[in-house]
Each structure stands twice: as structure tokens, then as C-alpha cells.
Amino acid sequence: ISYVWRSEESAPHSGNIWVRVQPPYCYAYKSYTVPSYRGQRISPGVHLCSDAGMLRRGYRYRAGFVEITNWASLAMGKHMGSQVIGKAGYLMLFGKCIPFRSKTVKAIGFEFYIRKSPDFVN
């Protein structure tokens, strides 16, 4: 009825755009709860169970991002005490991917990138 996916290094975001993080951070993404079970605080429990597993593997922190119009995920993050550490994103301009991120996001190794593409502007 609910799941969250985690990655220890990189994971797909959209098309050929991927997200990468660096230890001691893991990347939390693709959280979902069946609509008829939403509002029962099941997803926070799934996140906490997953956190425990990642802690045992040496990952002390969970990094993720929420699009600014994803109200449900923003509310869940607030409920769980998640902290905003900065901003990251990318622009697609004339077929090129131009990523951006704040210094605090860069410091934890979080980045968007195009996997195996010469169109990545670093």
C-alpha cells in the first residue's frame, strides 16, 4: 500500500536526467501511497523503516527533492521534520541540459546530470 525507493549513489529522474548523491547521504525518491490509504501517516512510517535500513549500511542522512508544486510531499516533509538545505534544478535550453544548485546542495554531492550524454554542460 506504500513504498519509497532509495539509492546509494544515483537514480533516474526523468528521461535521461539522473540524480546523484554522495555518502553519507542516500537518495530518497519515488514515494507513493495508494490513494485510499493516504492521510493515515503510512508513508512517514515507511520512510522511517527505510531510514533504519540505510543507517545500518552507513548512510546517516536522506537527501531528496520535492517539486515546488507537490503539496502532498511538501506537507509530509514538514510533518517529518525534513529541512530545506538549498535549491537544485536544471534548464533544458536548445537541447542542452544546464544544471544548477546552491552551495549547500553542492556540498552534499547532490546533482542533476544527463547520463552518458555529450549534451551535459558542467
Side-chain angles (χ1 to χ4, degrees):
I1 61 172
S2 184
Y3 67 82
V4 61
W5 292 351
R6 299 289 172 98
S7 172
E8 296 175 1
E9 184 178 319
S10 63
H13 168 59
S14 177
N16 62 344
I17 297 174
W18 284 56
V19 173
R20 177 175 18 235
V21 297
Q22 310 233 344
Y25 292 85
C26 68
Y27 174 50
Y29 67 110
K30 300 287 186 194
S31 177
Y32 178 77
T33 300
V34 172
S36 59
Y37 289 90
R38 292 180 185 166
Q40 299 179 38
R41 305 290 185 213
I42 294 169
S43 187
V46 172
H47 275 274
L48 292 173
C49 287
S50 181
D51 286 348
M54 295 309 287
L55 275 169
R56 286 192 298 274
R57 296 171 70 147
Y59 295 88
R60 297 181 51 213
Y61 305 102
R62 173 184 358 114
F65 71 93
V66 178
E67 294 184 21
I68 59 173
T69 58
N70 188 339
W71 309 115
S73 290
L74 290 168
M76 186 193 64
K78 184 176 180 179
H79 170 76
M80 292 186 65
S82 295
Q83 296 178 353
V84 175
I85 63 162
K87 301 200 182 328
Y90 58 90
L91 297 171
M92 293 300 293
L93 192 60
F94 303 112
K96 303 278 186 191
C97 178
I98 304 169
F100 60 88
R101 58 193 167 159
S102 61
K103 288 180 183 180
T104 51
V105 172
K106 185 176 183 176
I108 70 163
F110 184 101
E111 66 178 331
F112 288 102
Y113 69 100
I114 292 184
R115 190 164 189 189
K116 297 183 182 178
S117 172
D119 296 331
F120 180 68
V121 178
N122 197 358

